[in-house]
Amino acid sequence: MSFFSKKPTVEQQLKSNDRVLRKTQRDLERDRNKMEREEKKLEMDIKKAAKQGNKQACTVLAKQLVALRKQKTRSYNTGSKISAIGNQQKLMHSNMKMAGAMGTTTKTMQQMNKVMDPQKTAKMMQEFEKESTKMEMSEEMINDTLDDILTESGDEEEQDAIVSQVLDEIGIDISGKMLDAPSAHKGKLGESSKARETDDEIERQLAALKDL
């Protein structure tokens, strides 16, 4: 054997041992088959000697038969032990695999524990929550301020636009009407009454707009 040969791995050694055990089982089985054939032959010889009345031959053959049967029993026992050894070897290999998996998992967890800092992570989460709350408050304040500003200016512009639209719909120009309004001593009584009705209509329209 070379001194520079590589040491077999566990898998290789397991396969090698399994081959040896299976070969041994096959050899034992062949031996038992031979013994069974020899056993049948001895039984026939004993019957033959008994028919011939040869008691001495029967005794010798009977002793050989007993020894053969004992050997066959030992062969079965040996085969059972070899099978048990093979099963035990497989069980040990399975345990080694599980131990290896646990070792790998342990190393992984150790590496993760080195990388992760629970206290630092918890602090980061608390800071994140704190800053998120501050941002929400700031955003809410900004939105409220913008709403106030836009509402004040926007409402006035909207009111002016609505007033202009309504006056356009009724065909009245306030500035023109004020300039063209008849004086108290001009025009007929009916014309003055119609002008007041028109003024009342405008006031109702404006009052309705203020209530919007």
Side-chain angles (χ1 to χ4, degrees):
M1 183 177 179
S2 176
F3 290 101
F4 299 99
S5 60
K6 294 178 63 176
K7 185 178 180 180
T9 62
V10 176
E11 294 287 343
Q12 293 172 344
Q13 188 63 51
L14 178 65
K15 291 180 179 179
S16 177
N17 293 345
D18 189 57
R19 285 195 297 269
V20 171
L21 293 176
R22 283 190 280 108
K23 183 179 182 299
T24 303
Q25 284 283 33
R26 288 195 299 268
D27 292 340
L28 288 174
E29 188 174 356
R30 281 195 295 268
D31 290 341
R32 284 195 298 269
N33 290 334
K34 290 179 181 179
M35 285 187 286
E36 286 177 358
R37 290 193 296 269
E38 185 66 24
E39 182 180 6
K40 290 179 180 179
K41 184 177 179 298
L42 286 173
E43 289 175 352
M44 291 176 62
D45 290 341
I46 290 172
K47 290 179 181 179
K48 185 178 179 181
K51 289 180 180 180
Q52 293 176 355
N54 190 347
K55 184 178 180 182
Q56 185 177 1
C58 287
T59 302
V60 173
L61 292 172
K63 288 181 180 180
Q64 293 179 4
L65 181 60
V66 170
L68 184 63
R69 288 178 175 175
K70 287 182 179 180
Q71 181 63 25
K72 190 171 69 171
T73 301
R74 285 194 290 267
S75 176
Y76 278 114
N77 291 336
T78 302
S80 299
K81 291 180 180 179
I82 291 174
S83 296
I85 291 171
N87 293 332
Q88 187 176 5
Q89 179 179 253
K90 292 177 181 178
L91 181 61
M92 290 176 63
H93 183 248
S94 178
N95 290 335
M96 289 177 64
K97 281 186 175 181
M98 288 190 291
M102 294 175 65
T104 302
T105 305
T106 302
K107 290 181 180 179
T108 303
M109 289 190 295
Q110 289 175 348
Q111 292 175 355
M112 289 299 297
N113 289 331
K114 289 180 181 179
V115 173
M116 292 181 62
D117 188 349
Q119 294 180 352
K120 185 177 180 180
T121 303
K123 185 177 179 181
M124 289 173 60
M125 294 176 68
Q126 291 175 356
E127 291 293 332
F128 174 81
E129 184 177 1
K130 179 180 177 181
E131 295 300 326
S132 178
T133 303
K134 289 171 63 177
M135 182 176 292
E136 290 178 0
M137 293 175 63
S138 300
E139 183 179 2
E140 185 176 355
M141 292 175 64
I142 292 173
N143 290 337
D144 291 342
T145 303
L146 289 174
D147 290 341
D148 293 340
I149 295 174
L150 294 177
T151 298
E152 292 177 0
S153 61
D155 287 349
E156 185 176 355
E157 293 176 358
E158 185 176 2
Q159 290 173 8
D160 293 340
I162 293 173
V163 170
S164 299
Q165 180 180 357
V166 172
L167 295 178
D168 289 340
E169 289 177 356
I170 62 179
I172 295 175
D173 185 356
I174 294 179
S175 60
K177 186 179 186 312
M178 295 297 294
L179 292 174
D180 298 337
S183 61
H185 61 278
K186 290 183 180 181
K188 298 179 180 181
L189 181 61
E191 292 177 351
S192 177
S193 177
K194 290 181 179 179
R196 283 197 299 272
E197 290 177 358
T198 303
D199 291 341
D200 293 339
E201 180 65 24
I202 293 173
E203 290 179 359
R204 284 196 297 271
Q205 292 286 347
L206 292 175
L209 292 175
K210 291 179 179 180
D211 293 335
L212 292 179

